[in-house]
Amino acid sequence: MTTKTAKIDRLAELTARRETATGGSLWAEALRRLRSSKMAMIGGGIMAVFVIIAIVGPWIAPYDPTAQTWRGEVRVNAAVFIGPRGDNWLGLDHLGRDELSRMLVGARQTLMVGVVSTVLGLTIGALIGGIAGAALSFGGAAGRRLDTVLMRFIDMMLAMPSLLLAVSIAAVMGQSLTTVMIAVGVVQIPIFARLLRGSMLAQAGADYVLAARALGVRRRRIVLGHVLPNSLGPVIVQTTLALATAIIEAAALSYLGLGNPDASQPEWGVMLAQAQRFFDQAPMMAVYPALGIIITALGFTLLGEAMREALDPKLRS
């Protein structure tokens, strides 16, 4: 079993183990511990600021992010670039466009790519994982065969490096923003699939499931009404972590030239790629989008890790 697979299966077991050990409400205790976690507060604060900027960015941007208003002041061949000043708080890019406006508007596209790709991976992955978990737990011999087929396919996807898989998909589909969202979403599918399957298997052995089966409750009702809803805790945690990964991988694909073909539209990965050529003369052009990507991903990661620790009694400080 690979390290990646082992981590996913470990997260899937946390909810069932915690509920069995305490007999109380898992999420009530987890929420109480999150409120006292500095890591959760910092991560949640960063995430909230990023989402707010992404929503209101186009309205508070001081200038049109695509307008080359100050093109005449920037002379690339002479290595003349404009840094922060009164009219342009973050300076200008190589085409005389306002950097602050491009950062604010680019946050929305970065968030959109991260959310859409994560929802895509979550939807398809949860469907596969839910079918596999229900089939193995309640489907008998035929269910075990179906689970084996689905999980071998998922294991093959997990065995491939995520960025390499995303680049391969994007290269085959062609350069577009939709391609980036699909490529990053496909990378998330096996993680969500195996996670939900493992969580459902842990829940299938709980006392309430055994009691329901003994009372003759239909398997479909047990799965959809009890096992599946109680298996979603680790999936919610992984969704937060997946958003951080999606933002980084989407920026990486844009940096490699596989993102939006319209380079005039601001997106942090594209801005970072464009600034690479001028790093020696104007390093801040690359620093701004890089910091945006790093801090945003850090926020989602801190919140996700805090949620994971809140679910796992062995990780409490």
Side-chain angles (χ1 to χ4, degrees):
M1 182 179 293
T2 63
T3 302
K4 183 190 294 186
T5 302
K7 288 182 179 178
I8 296 173
D9 290 344
R10 170 61 182 158
L11 180 57
E13 296 171 0
L14 297 182
T15 303
R17 288 189 180 183
R18 189 60 182 162
E19 287 176 344
T20 301
T22 63
S25 172
L26 167 73
W27 286 102
E29 182 177 351
L31 182 60
R32 184 168 60 252
R33 291 165 60 184
L34 278 176
R35 289 174 179 171
S36 61
S37 171
K38 293 182 179 179
M39 184 166 62
M41 294 298 101
I42 294 173
I46 293 174
M47 187 177 70
V49 170
F50 171 64
V51 172
I52 292 173
I53 291 176
I55 294 174
V56 304
W59 286 280
I60 64 175
Y63 306 104
D64 182 352
T66 63
Q68 302 178 16
T69 308
W70 296 274
R71 178 65 182 269
E73 298 184 34
V74 178
R75 295 189 294 275
V76 175
N77 294 333
V80 176
F81 295 89
I82 305 300
R85 61 184 184 181
D87 292 336
N88 312 103
W89 290 1
L90 298 183
L92 306 175
D93 70 356
H94 63 292
L95 296 178
R97 298 172 296 194
D98 182 60
E99 278 284 277
L100 176 60
S101 300
R102 292 182 64 78
M103 285 293 297
L104 292 173
V105 177
R108 172 176 290 188
Q109 184 162 307
T110 300
L111 177 64
M112 181 182 68
V113 172
V115 170
V116 171
S117 59
T118 301
V119 169
L120 176 63
L122 171 62
T123 303
I124 300 177
L127 179 62
I128 296 175
I131 293 173
L136 182 59
S137 300
F138 303 96
R144 288 192 293 271
R145 287 193 293 269
L146 176 59
D147 172 74
T148 299
V149 173
L150 292 175
M151 286 302 102
R152 294 301 76 76
F153 173 72
I154 292 299
D155 288 343
M156 286 190 295
M157 295 183 67
L158 279 173
M160 296 184 62
S162 58
L163 185 57
L164 177 60
L165 179 59
V167 169
S168 301
I169 295 172
V172 171
M173 295 185 63
Q175 183 183 15
S176 72
L177 187 61
T178 302
T179 294
V180 172
M181 291 187 287
I182 293 175
V184 177
V186 169
V187 170
Q188 305 286 356
I189 290 175
I191 299 175
F192 285 112
R194 190 167 185 94
L195 185 58
L196 182 57
R197 171 187 175 271
S199 184
M200 290 183 68
L201 294 181
Q203 290 291 334
D207 292 341
Y208 73 89
V209 175
L210 298 177
R213 298 182 72 171
L215 291 173
V217 180
R218 297 180 62 181
R219 288 180 293 183
R220 181 177 179 181
R221 184 177 178 183
I222 295 174
V223 172
L224 298 180
H226 301 283
V227 174
L228 182 60
N230 288 322
S231 302
L232 295 178
V235 177
I236 296 173
V237 175
Q238 181 59 37
T239 300
T240 306
L241 295 171
L243 277 167
T245 304
I247 290 173
I248 294 174
E249 291 179 344
L253 292 178
S254 297
Y255 180 82
L256 295 174
L258 298 171
N260 194 340
D262 185 2
S264 66
Q265 296 300 318
E267 194 273 327
W268 291 351
V270 174
M271 293 172 64
L272 186 59
Q274 292 175 340
Q276 180 183 9
R277 294 182 296 158
F278 314 106
F279 189 78
D280 292 338
Q281 296 83 17
M284 296 308 296
M285 285 175 53
V287 170
Y288 297 140
L291 282 177
I293 295 169
I294 293 171
I295 294 175
T296 301
L298 177 64
F300 283 107
T301 300
L302 288 177
L303 181 60
E305 288 294 329
M307 293 173 66
R308 184 173 67 88
E309 291 185 7
L311 288 169
D312 190 354
K314 291 184 178 181
L315 297 177
R316 283 183 295 181
S317 57

